[in-house]
Amino acid sequence: MTKHGSRICSRHNFSSCGERLLVCSRFTNTRRSRLVTSARLLKLNCTMTQAEKEQDNGKEKEKERDKEKEKEQQRGVKRPIAPPTIPDPLQEQIQSNFVIVIHPGSRTLRIGRATDTLPLTIPHVIARRHKQSGQPRHEDAWLLREGLNKPESNEQRQNGLKMVDQAIWSKKMSNGVRRTPVSAEQARAYNCQIRPAVLDSSFRVKWTNTAHHPPHLVGEEALYVNPSDCYNIHWPVVRGQLNVHAGPGGSLTAVLADLETIWSHVIQKQLDIPLKDLKYYRCILLVPDIYNRQHVKEVVNMLLLNMGFSAIIVHQESVCATFGSGLSSACVVDVGDQKTSLCCVEDGVSHRNSRLCLAYGGSDVTRTFFWLLQRAGFPYRDCQLSSRLDCQLLQHLKETFCHLNQDISGLQDHEFQTRFPEAPALLYQVRLGDEKLEAPMGLFYPTTFGIVGQKMTSLQYRSQGDSEDPHDEQYLLATQSKQDQSSKSAADRKAISRPGGGLDGEMSGQGGVGELSDLPRGCGSSGSGGGIKGELELGPVQGECLMGAGEMEEPLSAHLSRKTAIMSQFESKALGLDKAILYSIDCCASDETKRKMYSSILVVGGGLMFHGAQEFLLHRIINKMPPSFRRLVDNVEVITRPKDMDPQLISWKGGAVLACLDTTQEMWIHQREWQRFGVRMLRERAAFVW
């Protein structure tokens, strides 16, 4: 027995040797199990020690960073402050009846719940009472505009009418017979003899009652304010933009106040929604394709902070038009009252280079129709373009009489009524010929409108920067140019190190061409778009706008000045509607996209709602499209009434559809987010490039 075993036996006084052996074996087993347990604990301790070491190392690194920050603060070193990160959009169930869709137009406001079948449609006008007696009266013009009273206006108008008449007489009717020209003198001889008949005056139009001196009137009430009352008349939107001007009520603050008053009045009085409950509602705002960033920012600020909507989505009219019509891709042609916008939309994305805005619309057709009526001896001789009620009458006559059906020819007799406050109702007879066709054809020959010295075409420009959004497009362009310069210098060093180190092919991707991304694509494009260059009539300088690699070495100032000259020349030209459609489609990147656009040309808005407009526009596009695409495009289609809907309501309907989509969850800008991050939210959440 071992010495250690004897100590155990002596300690416990075992009586026999068997007991001693049993105790020794138990002791040995116990010791072995303790050794195994110790080994396991040692292994676990090693693992824990390694994790603790890593944790300690992390703590030491944090302590070192804190010490470095303290030293920098003591030395006065300022570290850059990281901007707060924008949180991910909240995912929550949205009820469509608590979403209000707003589509503000130049002449009409369309507003309603997303669940409504049709929106409310009211004149987008407000009358504000004078704050002081004797204050001069101001009224924004309806059909009149700048550039009409120039010395060249009448000559330009006559030249435009000659081109229109030539186009009318050169085209045969569907039976193969050419139209017989109708002289305006034939209609004038008859109309000058017409005297009106007095109708029953049981139903009379009345001026708006202002006896209780309301501070403002909205919509139809504003249109029927007596000119002798002390009210100013304001249209807050003109040609798709806020009506900022130098006259009374023309400041940005005043225009925003007019918008807030009009929209709040309609929401409260006609939608029956108390303004205090707007915190439970959301808003979808439709903006033009070519938008003013500052104006959009201010309107969003007004809707969220002043009116109190809980959240908002901002989207473009053209994309919403495709949603409302059920099309995935289309060249959207929006002919409004004062502007015509074009844009190619593919799978819910608006192609930026294809956006184009023309500064004419349905009101210019109305004014041209009035001039033609005067030439034909219009029997209502007191008609004035400066009168609101006369403008309404002319708008109604245009929508009733005008057409684009060339099978209708010869003189025809019509009648119309005039019902004005404080005047008897009168019935007039009028005989008209080609005037009904000449006026709407002004959309294809804009010189007929007689507008001189005005900007007639607008493109989408890059952002000029915003102090509230430092990491905007300008920031990205600046950082990208630095990266390009560094990569270019590295390439230059490699080229110099190589024997015969030429730089062929490297200049094509450098700054010169990139700087010209804002230029009209049709001004020098080759291939399929080459056939449009002559149709655009942009002058010979346009052929030089896309420079070759050898011409990139000119100074930057000369390059920018030449670019500005090209842009100003392009914007001063008034493209016809058919040429503008061809230009917009030609700006698409690929031939496959262009083929899609030709096969789906969607016409919305109320400016082209004439009988025969669909066939007329289709015929002109097929005749003027590039010959190379006539073989590629199977079917050119012009859609004017998708799903038999009113084309004036399609964009609003698309906004209502947008409210029901699950994908819009990521687009909502909430009030608290706007208060914290401001315009950055539009860049982060908007469905288009801000």
Side-chain angles (χ1 to χ4, degrees):
M1 184 179 293
T2 62
K3 183 178 180 180
H4 184 70
S6 62
R7 284 202 304 267
I8 296 174
C9 293
S10 61
R11 187 185 306 165
H12 294 278
N13 298 323
F14 293 114
S15 60
S16 66
C17 183
E19 291 179 351
R20 290 173 186 162
L21 291 174
L22 181 61
V23 170
C24 288
S25 63
R26 288 178 179 174
F27 172 78
T28 304
N29 293 335
T30 304
R31 187 177 182 184
R32 186 181 297 114
S33 63
R34 286 177 180 174
L35 289 174
V36 173
T37 305
S38 300
R40 291 177 179 173
L41 290 173
L42 180 61
K43 185 177 180 180
L44 181 61
N45 288 336
C46 291
T47 307
M48 294 178 63
T49 304
Q50 186 176 359
E52 290 175 355
K53 286 182 179 179
E54 293 178 355
Q55 187 175 2
D56 292 340
N57 290 335
K59 292 181 179 179
E60 290 177 0
K61 290 181 181 179
E62 290 181 0
K63 290 180 181 179
E64 290 177 359
R65 291 196 200 99
D66 295 339
K67 289 180 181 179
E68 289 178 0
K69 289 181 180 179
E70 291 178 0
K71 291 179 180 180
E72 289 177 353
Q73 290 177 357
Q74 292 174 1
R75 293 197 305 265
V77 178
K78 294 183 178 180
R79 297 174 62 87
I81 300 175
T85 57
I86 296 178
D88 294 332
L90 300 175
Q91 301 291 331
E92 55 181 303
Q93 188 67 28
I94 299 174
Q95 297 181 357
S96 298
N97 59 330
F98 282 88
V99 177
I100 296 178
V101 182
I102 302 177
H103 184 195
S106 301
R107 280 294 167 261
T108 307
L109 170 67
R110 296 176 182 90
I111 184 173
R113 293 180 177 86
T115 53
D116 293 342
T117 305
L118 297 174
L120 293 173
T121 302
I122 65 170
H124 206 183
V125 62
I126 184 173
R128 288 195 177 274
R129 185 169 178 81
H130 293 172
K131 295 182 179 180
Q132 299 176 356
S133 59
Q135 183 177 341
R137 185 175 175 276
H138 173 82
E139 181 171 344
D140 292 341
W142 185 336
L143 295 180
L144 294 174
R145 57 180 294 176
E146 295 182 1
L148 297 176
N149 297 322
K150 303 288 184 179
E152 306 90 353
S153 296
N154 188 55
E155 180 182 358
Q156 181 171 307
R157 191 183 308 124
Q158 296 300 328
N159 292 335
L161 286 176
K162 289 180 181 178
M163 290 190 291
V164 167
D165 292 337
Q166 184 178 1
I168 292 175
W169 299 334
S170 62
K171 185 177 182 299
K172 295 181 180 180
M173 295 186 291
S174 59
N175 56 7
V177 180
R178 293 191 180 274
R179 291 174 56 91
T180 303
V182 178
S183 173
E185 295 299 326
Q186 299 177 5
R188 184 179 182 86
Y190 174 84
N191 293 330
C192 289
Q193 302 175 0
I194 295 298
R195 295 294 179 267
V198 180
L199 299 176
D200 181 17
S201 300
S202 58
F203 172 74
R204 277 196 172 188
V205 179
K206 297 181 180 180
W207 296 115
T208 300
N209 184 13
T210 59
H212 54 294
H213 304 301
H216 59 263
L217 297 165
V218 171
E220 291 286 347
E221 291 183 341
L223 285 180
Y224 284 93
V225 169
N226 195 324
S228 61
D229 291 341
C230 301
Y231 283 86
N232 290 340
I233 308 297
H234 301 292
W235 299 88
V237 179
V238 59
R239 276 178 278 286
Q241 306 294 335
L242 297 187
N243 188 14
V244 178
H245 56 84
S251 66
L252 180 59
T253 304
V255 174
L256 290 171
D258 289 342
L259 288 177
E260 182 179 354
T261 303
I262 295 173
W263 298 354
S264 299
H265 175 88
V266 176
I267 290 172
Q268 188 173 16
K269 300 296 184 182
Q270 301 191 36
L271 293 180
D272 296 326
I273 300 175
L275 297 181
K276 62 182 179 63
D277 291 344
L278 288 182
K279 59 186 177 183
Y280 306 114
Y281 284 81
R282 298 174 179 230
C283 173
I284 292 181
L285 176 66
L286 275 59
V287 299
D289 301 320
I290 297 181
Y291 50 87
N292 186 307
R293 292 174 176 83
Q294 180 66 22
H295 292 178
V296 173
K297 182 183 79 170
E298 295 295 339
V299 172
V300 172
N301 192 72
M302 179 262 292
L303 286 168
L304 289 177
L305 303 185
N306 295 3
M307 296 182 66
F309 281 99
S310 63
I312 190 173
I313 286 178
V314 179
H315 218 324
Q316 294 171 300
E317 295 172 337
S318 61
V319 179
C320 291
T322 59
F323 292 158
S325 58
L327 299 174
S328 60
S329 301
C331 177
V332 181
V333 184
D334 186 354
V335 187
D337 183 76
Q338 295 186 358
K339 58 95 178 171
T340 299
S341 61
L342 301 96
C343 181
C344 293
V345 179
E346 187 176 16
D347 298 328
V349 177
S350 166
H351 288 279
R352 178 172 179 172
N353 291 335
S354 67
R355 298 175 195 167
L356 192 68
C357 184
L358 309 174
Y360 59 79
S363 62
D364 298 283
V365 176
T366 304
R367 186 179 59 253
T368 302
F369 187 50
F370 172 63
W371 289 333
L372 295 173
L373 288 175
Q374 285 185 317
R375 189 183 67 172
F378 191 41
Y380 173 41
R381 295 172 182 82
D382 294 332
C383 188
Q384 299 291 333
L385 291 177
S386 57
S387 170
R388 296 189 306 274
L389 302 185
D390 287 344
C391 289
Q392 275 188 303
L393 173 65
L394 292 172
Q395 191 91 357
H396 173 71
L397 295 181
K398 178 200 71 174
E399 295 171 358
T400 305
F401 297 155
C402 289
H403 63 84
L404 283 170
N405 186 357
Q406 292 197 321
D407 288 344
I408 302 176
S409 62
L411 292 172
Q412 292 182 331
D413 293 338
H414 304 275
E415 62 180 25
F416 64 94
Q417 300 178 10
T418 60
R419 294 181 180 272
F420 300 129
E422 301 176 356
L426 301 177
L427 176 65
Y428 287 90
Q429 301 285 337
V430 60
R431 178 171 292 178
L432 298 174
D434 290 338
E435 292 83 6
K436 299 176 293 183
L437 179 59
E438 290 171 334
M441 282 192 67
L443 294 171
F444 302 91
Y445 298 91
T447 53
T448 310
F449 299 143
I451 304 170
V452 178
Q454 298 296 308
K455 182 178 177 181
M456 298 300 295
T457 304
S458 299
L459 302 173
Q460 181 70 66
Y461 284 98
R462 287 173 174 164
S463 171
Q464 299 302 312
D466 194 312
S467 59
E468 298 180 12
D469 186 17
H471 301 91
D472 59 358
E473 188 177 11
Q474 297 293 334
Y475 171 82
L476 297 176
L477 289 173
T479 54
Q480 182 66 32
S481 63
K482 290 180 181 178
Q483 293 177 1
D484 292 343
Q485 291 174 4
S486 60
S487 61
K488 181 183 177 182
S489 60
D492 291 344
R493 287 193 296 270
K494 291 180 181 179
I496 293 173
S497 64
R498 294 196 304 266
L503 297 177
D504 294 340
E506 294 181 7
M507 291 298 293
S508 61
Q510 300 303 327
V513 173
E515 290 292 337
L516 288 169
S517 61
D518 290 336
L519 284 174
R521 181 186 172 94
C523 60
S525 56
S526 60
S528 60
I532 304 178
K533 184 171 67 175
E535 292 292 337
L536 291 178
E537 301 174 355
L538 299 180
V541 70
Q542 288 278 335
E544 303 173 0
C545 70
L546 292 180
M547 300 174 290
E551 298 176 352
M552 291 297 177
E553 299 177 357
E554 66 175 342
L556 179 61
S557 58
H559 168 72
L560 293 177
S561 61
R562 187 153 64 92
K563 173 184 171 183
T564 304
I566 294 173
M567 294 298 296
S568 61
Q569 182 186 15
F570 177 77
E571 291 178 339
S572 64
K573 297 291 183 180
L575 295 179
L577 186 59
D578 50 349
K579 296 178 183 179
I581 293 173
L582 296 176
Y583 169 85
S584 179
I585 296 177
D586 185 54
C587 288
C588 294
S590 65
D591 289 349
E592 178 62 23
T593 303
K594 295 176 184 178
R595 189 186 62 80
K596 287 182 183 179
M597 298 302 130
Y598 276 117
S599 61
S600 181
I601 300 174
L602 176 63
V603 181
V604 299
L608 199 64
M609 294 178 61
F610 302 111
H611 177 61
Q614 181 179 9
E615 296 80 6
F616 187 88
L617 180 59
L618 178 62
H619 178 268
R620 292 186 68 91
I621 290 176
I622 292 177
N623 287 342
K624 294 193 175 185
M625 67 185 296
S628 58
F629 273 100
R630 293 180 188 173
R631 297 187 296 269
L632 295 177
V633 180
D634 299 331
N635 181 31
V636 179
E637 185 175 3
V638 176
I639 306 168
T640 55
R641 297 186 69 91
K643 302 178 181 178
D644 291 331
M645 291 175 57
D646 185 350
Q648 300 177 93
L649 308 179
I650 290 177
S651 294
W652 182 92
K653 198 67 178 177
V657 171
L658 184 66
C660 304
L661 298 178
D662 295 336
T663 54
T664 58
Q665 291 281 351
E666 302 175 356
M667 299 165 58
W668 287 108
I669 300 174
H670 296 268
Q671 188 184 91
R672 290 184 179 179
E673 294 173 333
W674 182 263
Q675 288 175 331
R676 183 179 181 187
F677 301 104
V679 73
R680 283 181 56 192
M681 295 304 303
L682 284 171
R683 182 165 51 83
E684 295 290 336
R685 298 276 175 83
F688 51 92
V689 178
W690 176 253

